[in-house]
Amino acid sequence: MQAESSAPRLLTPALAGYLLADLAGLLLIALGGSFLVTGSPLMLLGVPQTLLGAIGCIVAGFVLMLWALARVLVAVASHAQLRQLTQTKP
């Protein structure tokens, strides 16, 4: 029971921030995609207003999601390594 309480927590403030960045990227993709489908912005007034803006939202959303995904994977891998080190100590 002692090893469980001394194990590092998985959800750190940095990991929560990366997850929020991932959600922001998903929102950008949804905004751009809704404009491409309907021809007018659905969620927020005036965002995006042009076809180029919609494509920019989609590209920025993908870039943000890929960056956040890479950071989440690094954080989870380092957590797994720390957890393995704390469990193997006698």
Side-chain angles (χ1 to χ4, degrees):
M1 192 67 157
Q2 185 72 357
E4 288 180 18
S5 64
S6 65
R9 291 181 40 200
L10 177 60
L11 186 61
T12 62
L15 184 61
Y18 299 141
L19 293 173
L20 286 176
D22 189 46
L23 287 175
L26 185 62
L27 178 65
L28 283 172
I29 292 172
L31 284 172
S34 69
F35 183 85
L36 290 178
V37 170
T38 63
S40 63
L42 291 178
M43 294 183 202
L44 301 174
L45 296 175
V47 178
Q49 290 186 354
T50 63
L51 178 65
L52 186 60
I55 292 171
C57 280
I58 292 172
V59 169
F62 274 120
V63 168
L64 187 58
M65 285 182 69
L66 287 175
W67 174 81
L69 176 65
R71 299 304 302 167
V72 165
L73 289 176
V74 168
V76 169
S78 66
H79 172 75
Q81 186 178 19
L82 286 174
R83 189 171 180 110
Q84 185 180 17
L85 288 174
T86 58
Q87 287 180 351
T88 57
K89 284 185 179 180

